[in-house]
Amino acid sequence: MSSFRALRIDKTDAGQTVSVVDFPESELMEGDVVVRVSHSTVNYKDGLAITGKSPVVRRFPMIPGIDFVGTVTASETDEFKPGDAVILNGWGVGETHLGGYAEAARVKSDWLVPLPQGLSPADAMAIGTAGYTSMLCVMALEKHGVTPKSGPVLVTGAAGGVGSVAVAILGKLGYHVVASTGRSEEAEWLKALGASEIVDRAEFASPGKPLQKERFGGVVDSVGSVPLANAIAQVKSGGAVAACGLAAGMDLPTSVAPFILRGVSLLGVNSVTVPKPIRVEAYRRLAQDLPRDKLAAITRTISFDEIIPTAQAIIDGKVRGRVVVEI
Ligand code: NDP
């Protein structure tokens, strides 16, 4: 393969362009493993990259796509051999290192995890970085000691990628899941995924007091800003919030009161640079604790040509659940 099909972002004085190109293999970046990519996904960050809404791309030209699954075609390390199925999430791929919207990728072996038994390549990308981050959030809450007995768990952005996978995992683990969404038409879908209660995200949208009625044993938050501040204000004494996203904004207008008067913990989750043993454990847990029928109900599959419009749709909050791209 001397060249392959790829999506490429270029930057000129006139702004950013995104086009489908024939990309020379000789221009792939450094790495000790070459992967033939079979599937990628559209995450919120991919939407930011392709629309140019936030400066997540820090090298041009760039092939976007922050995650992929595929088969090793060449390896300079003993860890992987041709034919191995591998997953990549994060590590700056699609931001500083050429990414997953391409038929081939060359990356560092340290960034790859083996596809776990029980997951197909399409399953792995149905989970994608959003779903893998949901599991990191659940693991962070568990490490803090949150259990189904701690009380209801709130999931914000519930109809989105991170949120819907979190609802499915937490429901399977026996939690009373309170799903916060702005899409009332998705209430039945969210209940079928594992939500026990649906709340309108408008409940969390207006600035409130830093201490409100104690409701939740834990929270998985993918939206940030005022909704996160209100969620923190409603966590029971000793409870915890796993915060991973900013769909509503980067700010966090709260006070120290929930932390010093209720001992609430705010657990930051950054999936991008998580060490490999934790990644492997997260995928083992996903293979075990994410019911496949629920994953199928969350997922839609698109072709390579649909990536650009889908990137805009995710930024507009119009994507439900997860999107798999067949490369
Ligand atoms: P999606 O767009 O699929 O989901 C985001 C959801 O947030 C929307 O579906 C919507 O849910 C809700 N939402 C959007 N705008 C607002 C708003 N103004 N107020 C309240 N809720 C809102 O994105 P993903 O699930 O893929 O990602 C979610 C966030 O998590 C992003 O910010 C992303 O960058 C971040 N992320 C972080 C990672 C990390 O490592 N820390 C890894 C992966 C994602 P609904 O329609 O149900 O209201």
Side-chain angles (χ1 to χ4, degrees):
M1 193 195 285
S2 59
S3 66
F4 53 86
R5 188 171 65 147
L7 202 67
R8 193 179 69 197
I9 303 181
D10 291 285
K11 195 168 189 180
T12 65
D13 291 343
Q16 174 172 307
T17 60
V18 188
S19 44
V20 178
V21 299
D22 207 24
F23 198 92
E25 190 169 359
S26 59
E27 287 181 22
L28 281 173
M29 293 169 73
E30 74 285 358
D32 52 1
V33 177
V34 181
V35 178
R36 183 171 183 88
V37 177
S38 66
H39 303 78
S40 184
T41 83
V42 181
N43 294 280
Y44 192 86
K45 198 185 258 180
D46 299 314
L48 294 174
I50 290 173
T51 61
K53 190 183 167 207
S54 285
V56 296
V57 175
R58 276 162 284 136
R59 177 231 194 237
F60 296 93
M62 175 52 64
I63 299 174
I66 65 166
D67 45 18
F68 62 76
V69 64
T71 307
V72 172
T73 55
S75 171
E76 293 166 20
T77 152
D78 291 341
E79 196 182 352
F80 297 104
K81 58 179 188 320
D84 287 350
V86 288
I87 309 174
L88 187 141
N89 299 100
W91 292 115
V93 167
E95 301 177 68
T96 54
H97 191 99
L98 297 175
Y101 296 151
E103 289 167 321
R106 189 190 292 132
V107 294
K108 293 186 182 165
S109 50
D110 286 350
W111 298 347
L112 295 167
V113 298
L115 181 70
Q117 285 222 326
L119 286 184
S120 70
D123 287 342
M125 284 299 105
I127 293 166
T129 297
Y132 147 72
T133 302
S134 310
M135 182 49 92
L136 293 176
C137 289
V138 171
M139 286 163 61
L141 292 178
E142 289 175 344
K143 195 172 168 197
H144 184 79
V146 175
T147 71
K149 290 191 179 139
S150 307
V153 171
L154 175 69
V155 176
T156 60
V162 171
S164 57
V165 177
V167 167
I169 295 169
L170 291 164
K172 159 83 181 344
L173 294 175
Y175 286 87
H176 180 100
V177 180
V178 179
S180 165
T181 183
R183 297 184 243 184
S184 56
E185 69 278 15
E186 302 300 356
E188 289 312 310
W189 178 75
L190 284 165
K191 281 188 181 162
L193 285 184
S196 306
E197 271 179 69
I198 311 296
V199 292
D200 189 331
R201 79 183 196 198
E203 266 189 44
F204 297 90
S206 304
K209 292 184 182 161
L211 293 177
Q212 301 171 26
K213 186 165 179 257
E214 296 183 42
R215 281 171 83 186
F216 305 115
V219 178
V220 173
D221 177 71
S222 63
V223 306
S225 193
V226 171
L228 173 56
N230 283 322
I232 292 169
Q234 296 182 26
V235 172
K236 296 182 183 191
S237 286
V241 178
C244 71
L246 45 66
M250 264 265 193
D251 59 328
L252 179 54
T254 183
S255 83
V256 295
F259 310 113
I260 63 173
L261 299 178
R262 287 187 182 159
V264 170
S265 293
L266 183 57
L267 312 172
V269 172
N270 172 17
S271 68
V272 178
T273 52
V274 169
K276 194 180 279 205
I278 299 174
R279 288 173 187 260
V280 170
E281 173 60 8
Y283 273 101
R284 189 194 68 73
R285 288 285 309 273
L286 283 158
Q288 173 188 297
D289 294 329
L290 177 58
R292 260 0 139 256
D293 59 331
K294 303 281 198 286
L295 184 61
I298 289 170
T299 308
R300 185 163 66 89
T301 301
I302 64 167
S303 68
F304 195 91
D305 296 334
E306 294 171 274
I307 295 172
I308 294 174
T310 307
Q312 183 62 56
I314 200 166
I315 295 303
D316 295 340
K318 291 187 179 142
V319 168
R320 182 180 87 163
R322 300 278 306 127
V323 176
V324 173
V325 182
E326 281 182 340
I327 300 292

